[in-house]
Amino acid sequence: MMAVSCLTRALRALTLSQPALLSSQVNIHCLSFTPKSKSSQPPHNLCCLLLCSQAIAQTRLGAQVPTAVGQCRGFLTTACLEQNRTFWKQREKYTVKPMGMKKTGGRDHSGRIRTHGIGGGHKQKYRWIDFQRLRYEPNNEARPFEEKVVEVRYDPCRSADIALVAGGSRKRWIIATENMQAGDIIKTSGVIGRMAVSANEGDAYPLGALPVGTLVNSLEIQPGKGSEYIRAAGTSGILLRKVNGTAIIQLPSKQQVQVLETCMVTVGRVSNIDHNKRIIGKAGRNRWLGIRPSSGLWQRKGGWAGRKIKPLPPMKVYINLPSISAK
């Protein structure tokens, strides 16, 4: 009986085009098997059972039965997760439509956990943010242009709100500023004049065109690369001084960076300034946000805990990096 059950289980795992016919024929063939003596033992090797099942299936159904063991169900295989990923980051044509996004659970392409505490949560749609504000339309290069704010909305993929702006023949998503509302007109210019401009909130200018002491956000560290600093909700930097074609900005962390004066910034603070005051309320809301609980293991606090008075880090300098436009 052990041989009959093992053989039936192995045959059920085969992917056949006619499973019902095969099961009925094999059951009849298996019932006709009787040991000649009590000393004869039924085969217990799984490989022998698979070979016998494939031979019986080939005699009954001809060439319809696949002989590859790899097509049998029940074998554990490790497949690369790249085949399940949607390469939405590799799109070339810009779109303002929300794009589907699969969750990674904090795992990389090989399936190993790289970032703990990530997993689950509500489904999210990604909206392509254009971090390069100075992006000219065709046939309108080197001219200041204006755009109108269509809507300001919540974005599940970041802490700040985003704004849909339209100008000319295009629409795009940008990071919204603190007081930006639908219907506002924002200006973008890449011209550095002799006199500092009086910019409004939401306008984008090079650092060299703004007066000292201006609150800025969405800072570029290389001209034409797009903003990389000061993009979180409620953050802003301060333009401290301008020296020999460069500008020094104080980041929200009090660290200072020195970049070229042709780097673009947005005037004002980033929207959603009350983001750090939100109340989670219960553990389930963190699960909605895709944040998993940490381990309950108690660990003694070491020297890293507690308040420390440290000197400010040295200023970062980004003026010797090659320009993106030069490439």
Side-chain angles (χ1 to χ4, degrees):
M1 292 300 296
M2 182 177 180
V4 174
S5 61
C6 292
L7 186 58
T8 306
R9 190 182 307 148
L11 289 176
R12 284 176 181 175
L14 293 175
T15 56
L16 301 177
S17 59
Q18 298 180 359
L21 178 62
L22 178 63
S23 60
S24 61
Q25 292 177 355
V26 171
N27 288 333
I28 296 174
H29 189 80
C30 292
L31 291 175
S32 63
F33 170 76
T34 55
K36 294 182 180 180
S37 63
K38 295 182 180 179
S39 62
S40 61
Q41 298 293 331
H44 298 287
N45 193 350
L46 182 59
C47 296
C48 296
L49 292 175
L50 289 175
L51 292 176
C52 293
S53 62
Q54 291 173 3
I56 295 172
Q58 285 181 356
T59 55
R60 296 295 182 182
L61 295 179
Q64 295 181 1
V65 181
T67 60
V69 181
Q71 296 182 2
C72 297
R73 292 164 49 188
F75 290 91
L76 297 177
T77 59
T78 303
C80 183
L81 293 181
E82 291 292 336
Q83 60 185 3
N84 297 329
R85 299 283 175 83
T86 303
F87 296 97
W88 51 271
K89 287 187 178 180
Q90 298 182 1
R91 293 182 178 229
E92 296 181 357
K93 187 177 180 181
Y94 183 83
T95 178
V96 296
K97 295 182 179 179
M99 294 177 287
M101 182 177 58
K102 291 187 177 180
K103 294 182 178 297
T104 61
R107 291 160 174 81
D108 60 0
H109 63 281
S110 63
R112 295 184 177 91
I113 295 179
R114 291 304 179 197
T115 306
H116 292 269
I118 296 178
H122 200 280
K123 287 186 177 181
Q124 298 174 348
K125 291 292 186 71
Y126 182 79
R127 289 160 182 85
W128 193 340
I129 307 299
D130 190 2
F131 292 108
Q132 186 177 351
R133 281 289 299 269
L134 191 63
R135 190 185 299 274
Y136 296 107
E137 288 189 277
N139 302 324
N140 288 330
E141 287 79 5
R143 295 180 183 178
F145 56 90
E146 294 182 349
E147 293 172 303
K148 184 177 181 179
V149 179
V150 179
E151 65 169 327
V152 178
R153 60 155 293 149
Y154 163 80
D155 188 8
C157 299
R158 65 195 72 253
S159 59
D161 295 337
I162 59 176
L164 179 64
V165 298
S169 59
R170 66 176 180 183
K171 293 181 180 179
R172 56 177 181 167
W173 293 102
I174 64 171
I175 299 293
T177 54
E178 179 181 2
N179 299 317
M180 186 176 290
Q181 297 178 358
D184 294 346
I185 303 297
I186 57 177
K187 183 179 180 181
T188 304
S189 174
V191 180
I192 301 178
R194 296 179 58 185
M195 301 293 292
V197 298
S198 178
N200 298 322
E201 181 182 326
D203 295 346
Y205 286 94
L207 286 168
L210 297 174
V212 175
T214 306
L215 293 179
V216 296
N217 66 81
S218 302
L219 170 66
E220 287 184 341
I221 61 174
Q222 296 184 44
K225 188 178 180 181
S227 61
E228 298 184 30
Y229 282 173
I230 322 179
R231 304 191 314 197
T235 57
S236 63
I238 303 175
L239 177 59
L240 296 181
R241 55 187 179 273
K242 296 182 281 187
V243 181
N244 296 330
T246 64
I248 299 176
I249 300 95
Q250 180 176 322
L251 301 180
S253 61
K254 306 304 179 184
Q255 186 174 7
Q256 299 178 6
V257 294
Q258 184 177 12
V259 297
L260 295 174
E261 64 176 4
T262 55
C263 293
M264 297 291 297
V265 289
T266 304
V267 179
R269 297 176 61 186
V270 184
S271 56
N272 195 12
I273 60 175
D274 294 332
H275 173 72
N276 60 341
K277 299 178 182 178
R278 63 176 182 172
I279 300 175
I280 298 299
K282 62 176 184 178
R285 188 180 179 192
N286 272 331
R287 305 308 297 265
W288 299 342
L289 300 175
I291 303 174
R292 298 176 59 196
S294 59
S295 174
L297 177 64
W298 179 84
Q299 294 180 347
R300 184 178 297 277
K301 292 184 178 180
W304 57 268
R307 181 172 180 264
K308 301 177 184 64
I309 300 177
K310 294 182 179 180
L312 291 177
M315 181 172 57
K316 288 186 177 181
V317 180
Y318 293 102
I319 59 176
N320 294 328
L321 297 179
S323 178
I324 298 298
S325 59
K327 296 180 180 180

